[in-house]
Amino acid sequence: MASLITTKAMMSHHHVLSSTRITSLCSDKSIDDKQIKTKPQISHRLFSRRISGVTRAVINLPASSPERESVEGERRCHVAWTSVQQEKWEGELTVQGKIPTWLNGTYLRNGPGLWNIGDHDFRHLFDGYSTLVKLQFDDGRIFSGHRLLESDAYKAAKKHKKLCYREFSEVPKPARNSFKNLFSGIGELVKLFSGESLTDNANTGVVRLGDGRVMCLTETQKGSILVDHETLETIGKFEYDDGLCDHMIQSAHPIVTETEMWTLIPDLVKPGYRVVRMEAGSNKREVVGRVKCRAGSWGPGWVHSFAVTENYVVIPEMPLRYSVKNLLRAEPTPLYKFEWCPEHGAFVHVMSKLTGQIVASVEVPAYVTFHFINAYEEDENGDGKATVIIADCCEHNADTRILDMLRLHTLRSSHGHDVLPDARIGRFKIPLDGSKYGKLETAVEAEKHGRAMDMCSINPLYLGKKYRYVYACGAKRPCNFPNALSKVDIVEKKVKNWHEHGIIPSEPFFVPRPGATLEDDGVVISIVSEENGGSYAILLDGSSFEEIARAKFPYGLPYGLHGCWIPKH
């Protein structure tokens, strides 16, 4: 069935803030904590100014004329790719529409929100300093705010006005003449391999642990940081009590339930993965088992995320592999800290949660994925015993260009051009009968969701179980980045898309209605950045995928990555 595009015109209305506070943020000055009172009906337009070849966000205050200002040498830049203009803000948003009475709790979103420090502009989307955004739903009202995470990396950069830790594509500049000194060079290597120089900038995900603690994460283990979900204040490092931090890195997307957390720890020395489990309320991870990579001496495949079923852990071994050689480079390659090695094979492994034993290890076609969607066990014989594992992911057609397409310069300069590489829902079929090969197929015709597919969520009650619906970012072409929200029915092979002109929406997060019996009975929450410099929160009905309500922010928010839901009670 052809995809349904739900397009609604923006309504003109005023949004009045009550009890707002803003702390100003400047790239060329240290941030102070001075509170600045704001007036109602605040608006501004964000542009990027080209100064000596450097793109910077600047605020243009409202002019008396509503016409677009024209400044020589100034080119519009989508607010999604501009830094936040203040370190923190909080206030109530005016709601247009009606929020369901049962929706009471807090949606948190994490993601990079500051892409420059001092005079230094970051290269890549994934380099920016973590910025938390909250939407607190309380009896039909929305109280919102954002705050920069106080990681060691951010605090050091703010203090010294320069990059001090290694980010995704960035390496701090060495002290003058340091490379002429042998011992200084050795010192840099020691800092890298000890993890001292690696960032703790937890800008990727945010999860609520089973005991109620809220943790921000990235792919370094030291980048596991606790926060207060109400104030967004940084509490401090999550201190693991298990001696497993020797390998420094981790999956950025642990799988968390009310009772436990599962994650993967890649091993760069003896290529493979530790599969670990941590009980709710504990800080101690236990090794359940270890997977040895099948590609020999090459580094382990990147594991940004993985999947679980009720009884198994699904461990991907992508041909996009960690590269020590590229980690040591001062300037990034197009694949950054990875290498593309399809000639060494692509694999998927399945481990028993109970025993830690590998029950399947199959070769599959080459693939590139950031995010797994879900996985479940299939009983093809009808005797109650699983015969195959189904694992779905957002797959980029084995095209590694997607990494380099996320350079900030590319995102800022190619808006409106149809340069986004194609993506699909890739479905792995992994037999449990000892077969050497598995399958990778397209679950739903990619054209139905605009040949874009990422930043996915499902009804969390269906985690590890057979499911039907995926909520993700799709596309309305032409575009250089996913610009639509998609609801995909993977059983009926149908898609509903929601789109408005000029928007960049973040991950659509599904919150199920308490007591619901249908999988799609709930709401979808997303934060949307607008081409005109604004931003708003949008709520869609999980079933019809029609708009329920929206609430506009008094300023433009940059694009964000992943979120979590924290119930009020």
Side-chain angles (χ1 to χ4, degrees), residues 10 292 362 413 488 491 556 558:
M10 290 285 290
K292 182 180 179 181
V362 298
S413 63
V488 182
V491 174

Side-chain angles (χ1 to χ4, degrees), residues 210-412:
D211 61 3
R213 290 179 293 177
V214 177
M215 179 166 60
C216 296
L217 297 121
T218 187
E219 291 186 357
T220 61
Q221 291 195 44
K222 65 195 284 190
S224 302
I225 299 178
L226 296 172
V227 296
D228 184 313
H229 74 273
E230 294 182 341
T231 65
L232 303 185
E233 291 180 348
T234 302
I235 296 173
K237 294 285 180 66
F238 186 96
E239 300 292 348
Y240 293 107
D241 183 25
D242 50 34
L244 295 176
C245 293
D246 54 330
H247 290 292
M248 301 178 291
I249 57 177
Q250 63 185 358
S251 169
H253 292 284
I255 293 174
V256 181
T257 69
E258 291 296 320
T259 60
E260 61 188 5
M261 180 184 91
W262 290 85
T263 194
L264 302 182
I265 301 177
D267 187 338
L268 300 181
V269 178
K270 298 178 180 179
Y273 312 93
R274 290 174 177 174
V275 179
V276 300
R277 175 185 176 272
M278 184 175 75
E279 291 187 0
S282 172
N283 284 36
K284 185 177 182 179
R285 298 165 295 180
E286 296 180 351
V287 178
V288 176
R290 188 183 188 280
V291 178
K292 182 180 179 181
C293 287
R294 290 179 55 180
S297 61
W298 287 91
W302 185 25
V303 283
H304 186 72
S305 70
F306 62 103
V308 298
T309 70
E310 292 182 283
N311 298 295
Y312 301 104
V313 181
V314 180
I315 303 108
E317 185 184 339
M318 272 200 297
L320 188 62
R321 298 183 178 276
Y322 292 97
S323 168
V324 173
K325 178 179 66 176
N326 286 346
L327 277 170
L328 293 173
R329 291 178 182 268
E331 293 296 323
T333 71
L335 293 182
Y336 302 92
K337 56 189 175 184
F338 310 109
E339 283 189 274
W340 180 238
C341 309
E343 67 276 12
H344 295 284
F347 308 94
V348 180
H349 313 278
V350 179
M351 177 182 288
S352 167
K353 287 182 175 180
L354 181 63
T355 67
Q357 298 298 309
I358 304 298
V359 300
S361 181
V362 298
E363 187 170 359
V364 295
Y367 61 99
V368 171
T369 182
F370 294 172
H371 301 114
F372 274 79
I373 300 168
N374 198 19
Y376 60 91
E377 302 156 27
E378 189 85 282
D379 171 17
E380 295 179 320
N381 298 328
D383 59 3
K385 184 178 180 181
T387 58
V388 65
I389 300 294
I390 305 296
D392 295 336
C393 68
C394 303
E395 204 278 310
H396 295 273
N397 294 310
D399 187 349
T400 61
R401 289 182 303 148
I402 186 62
L403 266 178
D404 212 37
M405 287 298 299
L406 300 180
R407 281 180 180 257
L408 289 167
H409 172 74
T410 302
L411 292 171
R412 289 165 176 164

Side-chain angles (χ1 to χ4, degrees), residues 131-184:
T131 304
L132 282 168
V133 181
K134 74 171 181 179
L135 296 172
Q136 181 181 333
F137 296 87
D138 190 358
D139 293 328
R141 301 168 72 183
I142 299 179
F143 299 90
S144 186
H146 84 256
R147 190 171 188 141
L148 279 148
L149 184 74
E150 293 279 334
S151 62
D152 289 343
Y154 172 62
K155 289 188 291 186
K158 184 168 65 169
K159 178 180 179 180
H160 300 290
K161 299 182 177 61
K162 66 178 183 178
L163 187 75
C164 299
Y165 289 83
R166 288 174 172 261
E167 300 295 341
F168 180 81
S169 78
E170 299 281 349
V171 178
K173 291 182 179 179
R176 185 173 296 178
N177 299 325
S178 66
F179 284 123
K180 295 180 180 179
N181 186 315
L182 174 62
F183 295 103
S184 177

